[in-house]
Amino acid sequence: EPLSAQAVHEAMSRAMPDFDERLGRGQIEILPHTDWYLKGGSFDQKRVLNGWVERLDKALTAGYEGLRLTGNTFWLEKRDWDGFTEYEAAINDVIGKYPMLALCTYSLDKCGSAEVMDVIRNHEFALIRRDGNWELIENAIHKQSKQALLESERKYRQLLETLQEGIWVIDKNFLTTFVNPHMAKMLGYTPDEMLGKSLFSFISKSNRDIAKERMERRRRGIKEQVDFTFLKKDGSNLDTLVSAAPVIDSNGNFSGVIAGIVDITERKHAEEAVRESRAKLQAAFASMTEAIFIADAEGRLIEFNDEFVRYHRFKDRDECSRTIADCPKYLDVWLSDGTPAPPEQWAMSRALRGETASNVEYRLRRKETGETWWGSYNFAPIKNQGGRIVGGIVAGREITTL
């Protein structure tokens, strides 16, 4: 006969001194088979499966990490075996999707060889006690699947460990659960030194609020690529490009973050050098008495100084033309011999065609005012390392009164 709820209570109380306390706070439940499997007088597979999921939801709501259950099948009659076997196959699929562990007990006295095979087929493994000894029988399909999974995980881990990009995985509490050797090396650690440590152990105090805000974005399911500065073991900074994404478990819940991280220290240094160079160039531009202007290969003005504004009789920088093609709208130009100069003969157009020249004179006139002046120009193309023209530079000075 199946154990009664009272018999189970007495046995558990003897085995666990705090059993009644756990029972009282709902951490443990004892359910007679008549109130669970045979509620209403019959076995309903769907009702029982839904019941386990409801119990799991209740446990998760109470703050537990999952559900452990055990079912005694001594009540099962041979005529009900086929239906119950279908239920066992279904619950095996359900348990695989949720944080649940199940232990099912069967009486060998009620099981023939066919029933034993059903039990083994529907469970990951079976423990059989014969002649006082326990024997483990593993489901062949589960065993093959597990071996395939282990092999897949081994190959995946090997791939991550050989990547020349940092890989960092943290759990929902932002504790490090995996780093590949390259990630650890970038920060000056070994992988073992980083495992279990908080993400914030590798971030300076001044950057922690930014990091917390970004982690909250991961909790909301947002993945993105951002620049971020970490703190190395020696106290120096590591500038990185972080491609981060949330890790979602099988229940759709946030369980952590995985990130690919690239060292961009050299890029940052190059960017800083460009900024410094640009600042120097702008300072030089501002101090020059010649009108300096630079255009890209398409004739778009990308840089000019204040003298350029005055020289071409603009009110301010905002009024200046932004392309060489717009210049004929407000300027007429003549060559030094008095011949009208078409736009393709102007200084910048010639520079963009690859010409270099000095002291080339033009006469200019503003169309709306009629003001006329003479200018002397130096110009040259700007080429990349491959020799291709990527822009032009022109310097002009007024020579009307000379």
Side-chain angles (χ1 to χ4, degrees):
E1 289 296 319
L3 287 174
S4 66
Q6 181 61 35
V8 171
H9 190 179
E10 292 174 357
M12 292 299 294
S13 295
R14 289 193 298 271
M16 297 176 61
D18 61 346
F19 178 75
D20 285 330
E21 180 184 340
R22 292 174 183 266
L23 194 68
R25 63 172 181 255
Q27 187 177 1
I28 296 176
E29 285 186 88
I30 301 174
L31 300 169
H33 72 280
T34 52
D35 292 344
W36 187 255
Y37 292 114
L38 299 180
K39 189 175 182 178
S42 62
F43 176 73
D44 184 331
Q45 177 188 139
K46 185 175 181 180
R47 174 181 55 77
V48 176
L49 286 173
N50 290 338
W52 291 129
V53 176
E54 289 171 5
R55 283 298 195 282
L56 172 63
D57 290 340
K58 181 179 177 182
L60 294 174
T61 301
Y64 298 106
E65 293 187 357
L67 177 71
R68 288 181 290 185
L69 63 98
T70 179
N72 187 313
T73 62
F74 282 24
W75 57 271
L76 187 62
E77 299 295 334
K78 202 170 187 67
R79 65 176 179 273
D80 300 319
W81 183 264
D82 288 342
F84 192 78
T85 299
E86 292 177 4
Y87 156 77
E88 290 276 66
I91 197 173
N92 192 47
D93 291 337
V94 170
I95 288 176
K97 299 175 183 176
Y98 295 98
M100 299 169 65
L101 291 174
L103 175 65
C104 307
T105 53
Y106 301 84
S107 171
L108 284 179
D109 292 339
K110 290 189 174 184
C111 295
S113 58
E115 287 76 21
V116 170
M117 292 301 297
D118 286 338
V119 171
I120 295 173
R121 184 177 65 252
N122 288 328
H123 295 79
E124 188 171 342
F125 59 86
L127 280 169
I128 298 179
R129 182 163 180 159
R130 292 187 296 191
D131 301 326
N133 297 315
W134 288 102
E135 183 178 350
L136 174 68
I137 301 176
E138 194 166 3
N139 182 312
I141 296 175
H142 281 287
K143 186 176 182 179
Q144 290 173 1
S145 298
K146 184 169 69 174
Q147 289 174 339
L149 178 61
L150 290 174
E151 178 63 15
S152 176
E153 288 180 347
R154 184 190 67 78
K155 291 179 179 178
Y156 181 64
R157 180 174 289 269
Q158 187 178 47
L159 171 64
L160 294 182
E161 290 179 348
T162 56
L163 283 176
Q164 293 304 302
E165 175 183 357
I167 304 296
W168 197 338
V169 183
I170 57 176
D171 64 17
K172 62 183 179 181
N173 297 314
F174 309 130
L175 300 179
T176 302
T177 58
F178 175 82
V179 287
N180 68 346
H182 191 71
M183 182 69 248
K185 183 179 179 181
M186 283 195 291
L187 290 172
Y189 293 89
T190 65
D192 288 343
E193 288 177 313
M194 293 182 65
L195 289 178
K197 287 190 175 181
S198 168
L199 168 70
F200 301 104
S201 299
F202 309 97
I203 298 173
S204 65
K205 291 181 180 179
S206 60
N207 278 336
R208 286 178 187 173
D209 287 342
I210 297 174
K212 289 176 182 177
E213 188 275 331
R214 287 178 177 168
M215 289 305 101
E216 286 306 312
R217 289 172 63 80
R218 302 299 159 267
R219 285 188 185 276
R220 299 198 300 271
I222 300 171
K223 56 183 179 181
E224 59 188 343
Q225 187 176 81
V226 296
D227 286 1
F228 193 76
T229 302
F230 290 100
L231 190 65
K232 297 172 69 172
K233 187 176 183 178
D234 63 8
S236 62
N237 289 332
L238 175 69
D239 294 316
T240 66
L241 178 65
V242 180
S243 301
V247 177
I248 307 301
D249 65 20
S250 59
N251 297 319
N253 299 316
F254 172 80
S255 65
V257 178
I258 182 170
I261 300 174
V262 178
D263 183 349
I264 59 170
T265 302
E266 290 186 6
R267 193 197 81 183
K268 286 286 187 179
H269 289 167
E271 289 175 352
E272 182 61 30
V274 169
R275 282 193 293 268
E276 291 179 1
S277 177
R278 189 175 185 84
K280 291 176 182 178
L281 178 62
Q282 289 174 339
F285 268 23
S287 65
M288 288 181 176
T289 57
E290 294 179 308
I292 307 294
F293 53 109
I294 299 173
D296 64 17
E298 284 71 44
R300 292 185 292 260
L301 289 179
I302 57 176
E303 192 68 67
F304 54 86
N305 64 353
D306 291 340
E307 179 59 19
F308 171 88
V309 179
R310 189 209 63 77
Y311 178 86
H312 290 95
R313 279 51 172 178
F314 291 113
K315 294 177 182 178
D316 51 40
R317 296 181 70 90
D318 291 337
E319 191 186 36
C320 292
S321 173
R322 298 300 173 182
T323 68
I324 299 304
D326 285 339
C327 293
K329 296 178 182 178
Y330 57 83
L331 278 179
D332 287 323
V333 180
W334 291 266
L335 300 175
S336 60
D337 62 3
T339 305
E344 58 269 21
Q345 289 299 317
W346 294 9
M348 182 59 78
S349 297
R350 293 173 64 180
L352 293 176
R353 288 200 301 271
E355 293 184 47
T356 299
S358 300
N359 300 319
V360 179
E361 295 182 3
Y362 294 94
R363 184 164 64 91
L364 296 82
R365 183 179 67 186
R366 284 290 301 219
K367 290 184 174 181
E368 69 273 26
T369 65
E371 182 180 0
T372 301
W373 69 98
W374 281 88
S376 176
Y377 291 83
N378 301 327
F379 51 84
I382 299 173
K383 299 181 180 181
N384 63 15
Q385 290 182 343
R388 183 169 63 88
I389 296 174
V390 295
I393 182 169
V394 176
R397 61 187 176 89
E398 189 170 347
I399 59 173
T400 302
T401 58
L402 295 181

